[in-house]
Amino acid sequence: MSTDLDDPPLPAHLQLEVTSACNLRCVMCLVRYRPPVNKIAGAMRPDLFHRLLREVPGLTRLTLQGLGEPLLSPYLMEMIEAAVARRIAVGFNSNGTLLTRRRAADLVASGVDWLHVSLDGAGPRVYEAVRDGADFGAVVTNLAGLVAAKRAAGSATPYVRVVFVAMRDNVAELPELVRLLGRTGVDELHVQNLSHSFSDTDPAGGYDDIRRFTASQALWSESDEDRAAAVFETARTVAREQGIRLRLPSVGSAPAPPSSGPPGCSWPWDAAYVTSGGVVQPCCMVMGDDRVSLGALDVNTFPEIWYGDAYREFRRRLIGDDPPPVCRGCSLYRRTF
């Protein structure tokens, strides 16, 4: 994190929501609880993307994902090409449903640095209950096709990671998923908790459904600790046998937010999240541009927003005793992600 708490250098990392449209309705995602978005209307405009590259010239990392499915953006390959040409490390997370063998080959050839695929179960019953609208067999086939395309090209990139969101209904599937991925040949399995409790939202408001879902599924209560810990230990053993890198989150009840000193995360000093419509937010964990906005790119430049009063106040609160409400239920801030 930058040592200048009020006015850090412009960030080296941007996460851009290249589209807010998605072809799935995943149970833990805000997209499920909002009206569908057209893939053209929901796409970040190329002119906004290229403008950000100009306004943040020190970028070294670019993550092209948000609430939507990046492969739905008609401009994704153009964006990857622009980043690669500037030697900016670039990648994204996909639900894998649109990752055909031809598209996989094109992505390998593009020079994209990483490609993460979400897979939240070891079989169709559990996975398809989580990723509503997806086909387990097709996604596993697409994932294997990506690995095969990478090998056929003799390419070290993209780094292929599978992301598993651990919840009460799917955590038992984890060891078998490790075995499946060992046969598939991916580089890593990254397991994470649900991203937010949404405890800062009005229980009677528009976030009620996702707030109640999180309360029913998050592995944060003490009653989940022994069960999750046992599953994680088995998964570790299988990962060692299969030679797969495995990242696991904390288990048990979420610790209290830090009261002072170093913040629970460094996003507002090191990186920023920009929605497809140009709203600048402190990080990707917020979910919902109506929850917090630090500025809008149709009004100000990115540097004006980064050094503006709203950002400065957000940074100051994050390291104090009264953190912004949106941070209080965040798994990353609470160090349980």
Side-chain angles (χ1 to χ4, degrees), residues 298-311:
D298 60 353
V299 177
N300 297 104
T301 66
F302 185 89
E304 287 171 344
I305 294 170
W306 184 255
Y307 294 116
D309 291 341
Y311 240 123

Side-chain angles (χ1 to χ4, degrees), residues 9 19 41 50 53 89 96 101 110 142-143 160 187 189 224 255-256 278 284 303:
T19 181
H50 291 291
L53 294 191
R101 185 60 183 268
S110 74
N142 290 348
L143 180 61
V160 180
D187 296 307
L189 172 59
D224 295 306
C284 67

Side-chain angles (χ1 to χ4, degrees), residues 158-241:
Y159 183 83
V160 180
R161 171 191 284 169
V162 165
V163 178
F164 177 98
V165 180
M167 296 172 280
R168 287 175 181 155
D169 285 350
N170 73 344
V171 68
E173 299 260 300
L174 190 56
E176 188 55 37
L177 178 61
V178 177
R179 293 185 181 95
L180 171 62
L181 298 181
R183 298 191 296 270
T184 307
V186 304
D187 296 307
E188 180 184 355
L189 172 59
H190 182 103
V191 182
Q192 63 190 49
N193 278 316
L194 290 169
S195 63
H196 212 287
S197 69
F198 296 91
S199 56
D200 61 298
T201 61
D202 180 358
Y207 288 85
D208 180 49
D209 287 337
I210 195 168
R211 177 178 174 147
R212 287 189 290 108
F213 171 82
T214 301
S216 71
Q217 286 293 322
L219 298 174
W220 292 327
S221 70
E222 291 183 8
S223 63
D224 295 306
E225 186 169 359
D226 290 344
R227 175 174 175 245
V231 171
F232 287 177
E233 186 55 38
T234 302
R236 285 190 190 96
T237 300
V238 177
R240 286 193 294 268
E241 294 169 352

